[in-house]
Amino acid sequence: MITLCRLRFLLTSSGFNHAHKCISDGQRLNIVLHPCFASERAVSSYSNVRVVKGRNAVKGHLNLRSFSTVTLNRLCWNCGSSAELFFCSSCNAIQPADDKTNYFDILNCEQRFSLDTQKLQKRYFELQRSLHPDNFGQKSLKEQEYSEEQSALVNKAYRTLQKPLSRAVYMLELQGVLLKEGADASADPAFLLEVMEINESLAETQSQDEVNAIGRLVREKLKDLTEQMNSSLNKGDLLTAKGLLAQMKYFTNIEEKVKDRITEGC
């Protein structure tokens, strides 16, 4: 445990210069000044110290954006200097991907359900422009390999956070809440009956207008569920969020069927 006096020393310029002598290799320090807690994800193979500042904090999140925090960066495989998530700040060498990195950290956005998807897309395109394997054709085989890994990880993070359903699944997984595959035995019978009736109507109709009407109904249902999901996750009500997620899956499945019918022209 690092005392408050020791922490103050580390935050001085001389403290930063000698921080590696105070903290053993193979650890990452993640300290919040006020309030104070340490993230479970705060241990990794890192050794340099940096200060992270920002506006939005999420407990257990690597970049706690509304507090001044002390964290440890990993070292560059190429020159040994402090390395950021994607590139070394000294030699600019691309770094190996870490598939355990939080997707919200990868895309530099708040860890919350309600996201600005346009900003998310903008960040995604920026990352892919810099990480794309085509940019590393003349680099070493190792750098080409790291580029492919990083690009694939960014793709995966973006696909996950882009849509409300997969974003909700991921956020609940971060909290240890998993949704079982298949039918939900605990689901409300009235809800299951409603889903069954909508499915039957979609399967039986040959009218393009009726298919479109079902599509509008399902979109309204998903919009309402998305708003409820946002409220539940903001309040930390994981049990309610899990139930809402199951409903979102049912209606998302119907939405895909509607799209298929429209593509086929009924």
Side-chain angles (χ1 to χ4, degrees):
M1 178 68 69
I2 295 180
T3 65
L4 181 58
C5 291
R6 196 58 175 157
L7 178 58
R8 286 171 178 158
F9 168 73
L10 290 175
L11 290 175
T12 65
S13 58
S14 59
F16 274 110
N17 290 333
H18 300 282
H20 65 281
K21 296 180 181 178
C22 308
I23 306 170
S24 61
D25 290 339
Q27 290 184 324
R28 170 188 286 179
L29 180 64
N30 192 13
I31 299 175
V32 179
L33 299 183
H34 180 74
C36 183
F37 60 82
S39 165
E40 290 181 0
R41 300 181 59 210
V43 179
S44 187
S45 55
Y46 296 75
S47 63
N48 290 339
V49 180
R50 70 183 176 118
V51 174
V52 178
K53 293 183 179 181
R55 290 189 295 176
N56 303 300
V58 180
K59 188 171 181 178
H61 200 234
L62 286 180
N63 293 328
L64 302 168
R65 295 186 177 89
S66 67
F67 299 91
S68 293
T69 66
V70 178
T71 62
L72 298 179
N73 282 339
R74 58 179 174 178
L75 299 180
C76 173
W77 62 270
N78 186 51
C79 71
S81 299
S82 174
E84 299 295 333
L85 186 59
F86 300 107
F87 294 96
C88 173
S89 55
S90 295
C91 70
N92 205 37
I94 191 169
Q95 299 302 299
D98 182 357
D99 59 7
K100 295 180 181 179
T101 305
N102 188 303
Y103 292 169
F104 291 92
D105 285 325
I106 290 174
L107 291 162
N108 193 30
C109 57
E110 299 177 58
Q111 186 168 313
R112 54 184 300 172
F113 182 69
S114 179
L115 290 180
D116 185 330
T117 54
Q118 289 187 335
K119 287 185 178 180
L120 189 75
Q121 185 182 62
K122 180 180 178 181
R123 172 62 173 165
Y124 167 70
F125 286 144
E126 289 173 349
L127 286 173
Q128 286 297 20
R129 278 195 294 269
S130 61
L131 297 170
H132 197 278
D134 287 350
N135 298 331
F136 297 85
Q138 302 303 316
K139 298 291 185 178
S140 67
L141 291 178
K142 178 178 287 189
E143 289 173 286
Q144 292 177 32
E145 178 183 346
Y146 290 162
S147 169
E148 292 175 359
E149 292 174 356
Q150 290 279 26
S151 183
L153 182 58
V154 169
N155 277 332
K156 185 177 181 181
Y158 178 68
R159 287 196 307 268
T160 300
L161 300 185
Q162 181 187 27
K163 295 184 178 181
L165 178 61
S166 53
R167 189 188 314 143
V169 171
Y170 180 66
M171 291 188 70
L172 286 174
E173 286 178 350
L174 289 177
Q175 300 296 329
V177 179
L178 303 178
L179 192 66
K180 294 181 180 179
E181 295 295 330
D184 184 2
S186 63
D188 178 14
F191 167 75
L192 293 177
L193 179 61
E194 178 186 17
V195 169
M196 183 180 69
E197 289 176 345
I198 295 174
N199 268 313
E200 288 179 350
S201 296
L202 181 61
E204 293 172 359
T205 185
Q206 298 299 318
S207 167
Q208 184 71 54
D209 289 339
E210 289 184 14
V211 171
N212 291 335
I214 292 172
R216 288 192 296 271
L217 171 65
V218 170
R219 285 193 296 272
E220 284 299 315
K221 295 283 187 182
L222 284 171
K223 180 181 178 182
D224 180 58
L225 288 169
T226 298
E227 291 172 354
Q228 292 183 59
M229 176 66 76
N230 184 51
S231 176
S232 296
L233 289 175
N234 284 342
K235 292 186 294 187
D237 186 353
L238 301 182
L239 184 60
T240 298
K242 183 179 180 181
L244 291 169
L245 178 59
Q247 293 184 36
M248 287 176 70
K249 283 196 169 188
Y250 280 109
F251 281 117
T252 299
N253 180 262
I254 298 176
E255 184 181 41
E256 291 303 315
K257 292 179 182 178
V258 169
K259 290 178 181 178
D260 289 341
R261 288 293 302 272
I262 292 175
T263 301
E264 295 166 0
C266 289

